[in-house]
């Protein structure tokens, strides 16, 4: 495999790596208890999803 003719500059390397960053996950508040949950998932605190109880809560 050939060796690169010129060294890759810091700017060029940084431009390539701009998309390799960690992002905060999207969250929303539970309609029933107000806890932060991921969208389209059952709340782990109360067991509700879209206003209906789907699973039994941990507290019960």
């Amino acid at each position: 495999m050939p060796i690169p003719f010129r060294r890759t500059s810091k700017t060029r390397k940084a431009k390539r790596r701009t998309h390799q960053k960690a992002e905060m996950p999207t969250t929303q508040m539970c309609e029933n208890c107000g806890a932060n949950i991921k969208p389209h998932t059952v709340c782990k605190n109360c067991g509700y999803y879209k206003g209906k109880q789907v699973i039994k809560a941990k507290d019960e």
Side-chain angles (χ1 to χ4, degrees), residues 27-48:
T27 59
Q28 64 184 31
M29 290 185 69
C30 175
E31 296 173 0
N32 191 43
C33 67
N36 283 332
I37 58 170
K38 289 183 181 179
H40 310 289
T41 56
V42 179
C43 180
K44 293 178 182 176
N45 292 337
C46 62
Y48 275 71

Side-chain angles (χ1 to χ4, degrees), residues 4-18:
F5 184 68
R6 289 193 172 87
R7 178 182 174 202
T8 306
S9 68
K10 293 175 187 175
T11 307
R12 190 169 186 87
K13 189 167 42 175
K15 284 180 186 178
R16 187 172 62 244
R17 294 178 180 173
T18 56

